[in-house]
């Protein structure tokens, strides 16, 4: 935990730029995860998002979750549950079209705040993608352009709460998986932990830290960088005490975006030895991911290679 990459962004345009870029590069190459502080999103806004999310869960989601647990007979489970997650969730879509006004039970204040939060996260995601371009030696805007497709990127938020669980050794808050998309920005509970990533064969806690944004890389960035950066397996451990809040926003390619390794990152050796990642339409990958989310990513990449029509 003490080595988990925590990166301060405030002096990015000053004399610390080189150091910050090196820290991001190291995190992308060796962790697939990092935690941002002083990222430019006002702390007051983060506090309001947290307060309203927790209020909404208590008022609208908590009882429903308890009823769902009871209806499935999960209070007294004796054996490991492998086909469900101990979580209460809803999804917001921001781009290309917002669905915030259609989500039931959200207060007007909550809708307005989540729209503002999403706009700031969108800008931060695009800034981070350009920093990755700089580190990779790609032209500025390359990743955003690849993600753009015909209608612009898909950007949405999964709002989750992980309630106390009587048998955390038998059920996961969220089963192990890699994220399918592009770059993920997470505002997580600063008191209740539970998020872990797989590093060198060991599960490592992602430390809760007030006002931080946790960033992780999805499968698409692994493909575009031809494996230089890798998406990493993550999971959420259920806990007996406390409800953990998680607001994960996914900046993903457009459904019709064509994803392939950046030519500038391919050397002739990689091409000769067939160590080149596949080329595919993002929507096709997501269709496959929907059925194989909780399985290793490598067979997904191989399957995309085999159906590759380009």
């Amino acid at each position: 935990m003490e080595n988990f990459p925590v990166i301060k962004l405030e002096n990015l345009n000053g004399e610390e730029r080189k150091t910050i870029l090196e820290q991001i590069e190291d995190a992308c190459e060796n962790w697939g995860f990092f935690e941002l502080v002083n990222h430019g999103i006002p702390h007051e806004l983060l506090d309001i998002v947290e307060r309203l999310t927790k209020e909404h869960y208590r008022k609208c989601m908590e009882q429903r979750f308890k009823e769902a647990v009871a209806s499935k007979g999960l209070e007294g489970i004796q054996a490991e549950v492998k086909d469900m997650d101990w979580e209460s969730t809803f999804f917001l879509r921001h781009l290309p079209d917002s669905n915030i006004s259609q989500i039931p039970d959200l207060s007007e204040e909550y809708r307005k705040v989540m729209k503002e939060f999403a706009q700031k996260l969108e800008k931060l995601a695009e800034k981070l993608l350009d920093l990755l371009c700089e580190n990779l030696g790609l032209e500025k805007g390359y990743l955003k352009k690849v993600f753009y497709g015909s209608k612009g990127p898909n950007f949405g938020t999964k709002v989750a709460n992980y309630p106390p669980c009587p048998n955390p050794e038998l059920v996961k808050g969220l089963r192990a998986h890699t994220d399918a998309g592009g770059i993920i920005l997470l505002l997580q509970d600063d008191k209740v932990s539970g998020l872990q990533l797989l590093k060198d064969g060991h599960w490592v806690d992602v430390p809760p830290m007030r006002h931080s944004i946790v960033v992780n890389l999805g499968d698409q960035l692994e493909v575009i960088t031809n494996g230089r950066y890798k998406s990493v397996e993550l999971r959420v451990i259920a806990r007996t005490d406390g409800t953990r809040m998680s607001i994960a926003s996914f900046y993903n390619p457009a459904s019709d975006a064509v994803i392939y390794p950046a030519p500038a990152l391919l050397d002739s050796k990689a091409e000769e030895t067939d160590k080149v990642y596949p080329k595919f339409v993002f929507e096709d990958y997501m269709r496959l991911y929907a059925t194989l989310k909780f399985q290793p990513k490598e067979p997904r990449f191989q399957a995309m290679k085999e159906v590759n029509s380009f």
Side-chain angles (χ1 to χ4, degrees):
M1 211 196 232
E2 63 274 10
N3 297 322
F4 188 89
V6 177
I7 299 170
K8 297 176 182 172
L9 270 194
E10 76 264 37
N11 293 319
L12 184 60
N13 296 318
E15 55 199 34
E16 290 178 37
R17 185 178 185 85
K18 185 170 178 286
T19 304
I20 293 168
L21 283 167
E22 284 169 358
Q23 289 172 338
I24 291 172
E25 174 70 1
D26 180 68
C28 289
E29 286 202 340
N30 297 308
W31 289 80
F33 258 86
F34 51 96
E35 199 149 2
L36 288 179
V37 292
N38 302 8
H39 38 63
I41 299 178
H43 290 180
E44 300 76 24
L45 177 60
L46 300 180
D47 289 340
I48 295 168
V49 168
E50 181 178 353
R51 175 175 61 80
L52 293 176
T53 299
K54 289 181 173 178
E55 275 176 19
H56 176 263
Y57 173 71
R58 282 193 298 271
K59 280 183 191 167
C60 304
M61 310 280 291
E62 188 171 27
Q63 189 53 36
R64 277 183 222 158
F65 181 80
K66 286 176 180 171
E67 286 166 7
V69 165
S71 71
K72 292 174 182 169
L74 292 170
E75 301 108 316
I77 49 171
Q78 303 294 316
E80 189 175 357
V81 178
K82 294 183 178 178
D83 60 350
M84 68 157 282
D85 303 303
W86 195 268
E87 62 175 2
S88 168
T89 64
F90 66 94
F91 295 85
L92 301 173
R93 191 176 65 247
H94 313 300
L95 294 175
D97 309 297
S98 171
N99 72 345
I100 289 184
S101 60
Q102 285 111 55
I103 303 292
D105 303 329
L106 302 186
S107 70
E108 279 314 306
E109 183 189 13
Y110 194 20
R111 287 182 214 276
K112 187 175 162 218
V113 162
M114 290 306 276
K115 272 187 186 171
E116 184 187 348
F117 184 41
Q119 286 163 354
K120 295 205 180 297
L121 286 172
E122 181 192 343
K123 286 194 179 106
L124 180 57
E126 291 177 352
K127 180 177 173 179
L128 288 169
L129 288 177
D130 274 343
L131 293 176
L132 299 194
C133 286
E134 196 171 331
N135 276 335
L136 292 162
L138 299 171
E139 65 187 88
K140 187 176 180 182
Y142 179 87
L143 290 170
K144 187 179 173 185
K145 194 170 158 191
V146 170
F147 279 27
Y148 200 82
S150 62
K151 293 182 187 166
N154 281 302
F155 184 46
T157 299
K158 174 187 174 184
V159 181
N161 281 276
Y162 297 91
C165 176
N167 294 290
E169 69 286 354
L170 298 178
V171 60
K172 295 285 179 292
L174 180 59
R175 288 161 285 167
H177 65 286
T178 63
D179 284 327
I183 192 165
I184 300 90
L185 289 81
L186 167 72
L187 174 64
Q188 67 166 345
D189 206 292
D190 65 327
K191 294 181 181 67
V192 183
S193 63
L195 177 62
Q196 297 182 328
L197 66 94
L198 191 64
K199 178 158 171 57
D200 304 327
H202 301 284
W203 287 104
V204 177
D205 290 321
V206 177
M209 195 178 296
R210 189 151 181 75
H211 298 139
S212 73
I213 298 288
V214 177
V215 178
N216 72 289
L217 309 182
D219 293 348
Q220 307 313 302
L221 287 175
E222 178 165 341
V223 172
I224 294 167
T225 65
N226 205 50
R228 176 164 157 182
Y229 297 165
K230 291 201 165 55
S231 59
V232 176
E233 265 193 79
L234 58 116
R235 69 182 186 182
V236 176
I237 296 299
R239 301 180 62 95
T240 53
D241 57 330
T243 295
R244 176 180 173 268
M245 177 198 77
S246 160
I247 305 172
S249 296
F250 299 80
Y251 189 99
N252 289 348
S255 300
D256 64 355
V258 180
I259 304 300
Y260 54 93
L265 300 180
L266 292 180
D267 57 32
S268 54
K269 198 165 87 179
E271 295 189 45
E272 282 165 22
T273 57
D274 198 33
K275 288 189 176 162
V276 178
Y277 278 68
K279 182 177 186 179
F280 52 81
V281 176
F282 180 60
E283 188 173 43
D284 293 340
Y285 186 84
M286 288 307 289
R287 213 171 279 128
L288 181 68
Y289 181 83
T291 60
L292 301 172
K293 175 176 178 176
F294 299 108
Q295 294 180 30
K297 63 187 169 182
E298 290 78 12
R300 297 197 293 266
F301 293 149
Q302 189 56 40
M304 296 318 293
K305 239 180 204 179
E306 286 161 12
V307 299
N308 190 338
S309 56
F310 291 93

